[in-house]
Amino acid sequence: MCALQVPTLLLWKESELVKAHYPLIVSAMDAGVSRMLTRRCTDVANRYCGALDDMTYLIEPGSGPGLIGACCTVYSCRESRYFRDASLLSYIHEACDMLLRVCHPNGTLDFLATNFYTPATFEIQAFCRGYKNFVHYMQGTAEECAARDHMLKALALLAKGCLNGGFHTPNHRWVECAALLMCHNIFGWKELREKVDGYLSEGIDCDEYGEFTERSMGCYNPINVNSMLVMAEEGNLPQLEEYAQRNLELTFQYCDGDGAIFTRNSRRQDKGEERVYPGHLWYYLYLWAGEKFGNLKYLKFAEEMFRSSVMEGRGVPAPLWLYLEKPQLKALDVDLSGVALPTSYHAFYPNSNILRVRKGDFSYTLLANNPDFLHVKFGKATMTARMCSSFFAVAQFAPTKIAKTETGYRMTFRAHGEYKGLFPTPPASSDWFQMDHSQRPVLNPCDLDYTLDVEDQENGLTMRIRVDNTPHVPFKLEFVVPAGTRLETSQVILDTTAGGELAIKQGDARLENVETGCEVTVRGLFANHMYHKTMRGSVPQRKDAFSLYATDWSPVNREIALCFSHREHARAISAPL
């Protein structure tokens, strides 16, 4: 990332997107390399000399390939201030020496933060991209040839590590395959291609909607798309392009009105991150695929991500290696003025148990396998909903499936409670843990059943909530609202505060994201007790947000409507003339 003169961006024409991006990307890459070099370990007594400090005083050996790739990239870029800077060659040599010194004999590396004897699959991709551009643009001086040969020696050891290493997670297979094929095109070892063929024989874990196993929009989905595109090009496997394109299409249905992407149903570390913007993750993939497939929608999205990332201060995506590898991108001249990105959609993905609905600046998401079963985005604010009953501490609503109905969607959940009685005959031991408690009779079993029906409406949605079976059970519905949201009822106006709560006995509540003027009105609220934030068995109240409660006793049969609107004028309280 680098500091930019924002007014320059206002002069962009949509037919000049890549021409405008490229100089900014070069500047950002230069700034990144400059910062990177300040983190080099230069202590010759340190076994990791030549690698980078990760700012926790761990010198990760896996940072060496990234340093090599970055140095090769700017060295090869005529517009970079590091173009053919001989000092970079010495840093490349030091990083290669480090890798040859610290790699295990089988070619694997230690990732000091967590994994040991790991194949450097992600790192090899960065290494190979830099190496390929270096070899393509080098002049052939003795110094350059020496650096090239040193890189080949280090890369060969890492490639050996790929042959001897394994994986932890589904996506790592495809990252490894991409690395194997990149190395195969450099070294020609048949074993590299054979291992790729073995992985491919397992099949690609991408469903008909384009979703990968890990469902990780904020991390591993773009990694998978990258791997598919790399394998398609490096391995002459065009059939893999389909999986990349499926996921690229799917991603549009995960974009919210403020430009963020939804990650709450991820199976990986990006799950639940409050706001993930796609620029640095997805920009180069849509640019790459847009040019490759002639897809103007992809190029339009790349343009939108780049523009918003820069204009809103999130930095400049800097895939300079891609522009060097595919120099036609520098001259790409496409008129995108008539290309529209989707701003409204209704998408149900039964395999992932998620419903995504967007209506311009508003969106809502139904999720199974999550106590936060509903997420509503209005402007830059996200409200979540969850419900629970005080029933044996096991009645937090967390349905496992979303079912499509004739009028909408249904989610159900059953909580069960029971007691145990005396053994028919005394146990052999008084040790509780040695007793066979399955022999005890079950007494007073009871169930509590939830049924939630959700119907889409033109400007929002309705929820029909039923809680049946066991009577007189305390119930709560909780809306978790960001602090700083304007809340107004017929009698009260307040700005929500972190850790606060309110239960409204009857009526509606208007919630306003003041910055954007986007509003959600919650209609049909109710409150018949105040046993909510301390309810046993419920998810704890969030301390960084405000809770709006609706409470009742079973049996419950209630309808809640969420109505979306935009602020049209000042909502000032009347002042007398």
Side-chain angles (χ1 to χ4, degrees), residues 32-77:
V33 168
S34 179
R35 288 193 300 271
M36 179 185 290
L37 295 178
T38 68
R39 293 166 44 215
R40 287 175 49 249
C41 176
T42 58
D43 178 5
V44 295
N46 190 314
R47 73 189 303 258
Y48 302 117
C49 180
L52 302 176
D53 175 11
D54 72 352
M55 307 314 290
T56 67
Y57 296 137
L58 290 183
I59 311 296
E60 285 286 1
S63 65
L67 174 62
I68 292 168
C71 287
C72 285
T73 298
V74 293
Y75 182 92
S76 304
C77 177

Side-chain angles (χ1 to χ4, degrees), residues 149-253:
D149 294 346
H150 206 175
M151 284 190 278
L152 281 174
K153 188 175 181 181
L155 184 58
L157 184 56
L158 295 178
K160 179 182 176 182
C162 266
L163 289 175
N164 292 316
F167 66 92
H168 281 149
T169 62
N171 82 86
H172 285 181
R173 296 172 299 165
W174 315 130
V175 176
E176 184 178 343
C177 284
L180 287 162
L181 288 172
M182 294 173 99
C183 290
H184 178 262
N185 285 339
I186 293 171
F187 298 111
W189 304 345
K190 64 181 179 62
E191 298 87 351
L192 296 167
R193 182 66 190 236
E194 288 170 353
K195 188 170 186 183
V196 171
D197 292 340
Y199 277 128
L200 292 176
S201 71
E202 299 178 4
I204 305 296
D205 59 320
C206 180
D207 70 15
E208 64 269 33
Y209 304 102
E211 188 60 281
F212 290 98
T213 299
E214 291 162 296
R215 305 192 315 224
S216 175
M217 279 289 169
C219 187
Y220 290 103
N221 277 12
I223 286 171
N224 279 323
V225 171
N226 171 78
S227 296
M228 296 298 132
L229 292 176
V230 171
M231 285 191 284
E233 292 191 355
E234 297 279 345
N236 190 25
L237 297 165
Q239 65 270 28
L240 299 182
E241 294 171 354
E242 176 186 351
Y243 301 106
Q245 290 177 283
R246 280 189 209 170
N247 195 260
L248 290 168
E249 290 293 332
L250 175 73
T251 302
F252 288 113
Q253 272 60 251

Side-chain angles (χ1 to χ4, degrees), residues 304-347:
E304 288 292 326
M305 285 187 279
F306 195 94
R307 184 188 294 269
S308 65
S309 185
V310 173
M311 294 291 287
E312 296 178 21
R314 293 190 293 273
V316 178
L320 183 57
W321 63 268
L322 182 63
Y323 283 83
L324 297 181
E325 188 174 309
K326 303 178 186 299
Q328 69 271 23
L329 290 174
K330 298 180 189 179
L332 189 62
D333 188 1
V334 182
D335 184 3
L336 300 174
S337 57
V339 181
L341 298 177
T343 58
S344 297
Y345 51 74
H346 187 121

Side-chain angles (χ1 to χ4, degrees), residues 9 12 27 40 44 69 80 101 131 140 178-179 244 248 265 270 312-313 315 349 381 387 418 475 490 559 563 567:
L9 304 180
W12 288 358
S27 295
R40 287 175 49 249
V44 295
S80 169
R101 183 170 60 246
Y131 171 82
L248 290 168
N265 69 324
D270 57 318
E312 296 178 21
Y349 301 113
M387 53 187 175
E418 64 183 32
F475 162 84
S490 61
E559 183 172 289
C563 303
R567 182 181 63 225

Side-chain angles (χ1 to χ4, degrees), residues 232-459:
E233 292 191 355
E234 297 279 345
N236 190 25
L237 297 165
Q239 65 270 28
L240 299 182
E241 294 171 354
E242 176 186 351
Y243 301 106
Q245 290 177 283
R246 280 189 209 170
N247 195 260
L248 290 168
E249 290 293 332
L250 175 73
T251 302
F252 288 113
Q253 272 60 251
Y254 279 75
C255 294
D256 288 325
D258 66 342
I261 51 177
F262 185 82
T263 64
R264 300 295 180 95
N265 69 324
S266 172
R267 288 174 163 147
R268 296 304 303 273
Q269 62 263 37
D270 57 318
K271 179 178 182 176
E273 292 186 11
E274 185 62 29
R275 187 171 287 116
V276 176
Y277 291 98
H280 295 275
L281 299 165
W282 288 100
Y283 163 74
Y284 80 97
L285 295 168
Y286 279 92
L287 177 62
W288 181 359
E291 192 274 335
K292 181 180 181 68
F293 304 122
N295 190 310
L296 297 185
K297 186 171 69 168
Y298 292 177
L299 291 174
K300 178 74 170 184
F301 193 30
E303 160 67 6
E304 288 292 326
M305 285 187 279
F306 195 94
R307 184 188 294 269
S308 65
S309 185
V310 173
M311 294 291 287
E312 296 178 21
R314 293 190 293 273
V316 178
L320 183 57
W321 63 268
L322 182 63
Y323 283 83
L324 297 181
E325 188 174 309
K326 303 178 186 299
Q328 69 271 23
L329 290 174
K330 298 180 189 179
L332 189 62
D333 188 1
V334 182
D335 184 3
L336 300 174
S337 57
V339 181
L341 298 177
T343 58
S344 297
Y345 51 74
H346 187 121
F348 176 48
Y349 301 113
N351 298 344
S352 301
N353 272 298
I354 183 172
L355 169 70
R356 287 280 298 161
V357 180
R358 180 177 170 190
K359 303 170 185 287
D361 294 327
F362 303 88
S363 60
Y364 68 87
T365 307
L366 272 184
L367 276 182
N369 301 300
N370 194 320
D372 296 329
F373 65 88
L374 175 68
H375 301 256
V376 178
K377 189 75 168 280
F378 54 112
K380 294 185 177 181
T382 300
M383 175 178 72
T384 61
R386 52 200 186 195
M387 53 187 175
C388 186
S389 299
S390 184
F391 186 77
F392 295 89
V394 295
Q396 180 74 55
F397 181 71
T400 59
K401 183 179 179 181
I402 302 175
K404 184 80 173 69
T405 66
E406 290 185 2
T407 57
Y409 301 88
R410 173 168 289 182
M411 304 168 81
T412 60
F413 181 78
R414 167 168 285 188
H416 177 77
E418 64 183 32
Y419 298 87
K420 295 289 188 178
L422 292 168
F423 282 112
T425 58
S429 170
S430 62
D431 185 331
W432 177 264
F433 298 103
Q434 296 297 319
M435 296 178 185
D436 181 4
H437 295 286
S438 67
Q439 300 302 310
R440 293 181 182 273
V442 173
L443 305 176
N444 301 323
C446 49
D447 296 311
L448 192 69
D449 293 315
Y450 294 84
T451 303
L452 172 68
D453 288 303
V454 176
E455 293 185 22
D456 184 58
Q457 305 296 336
E458 182 179 358
N459 293 310

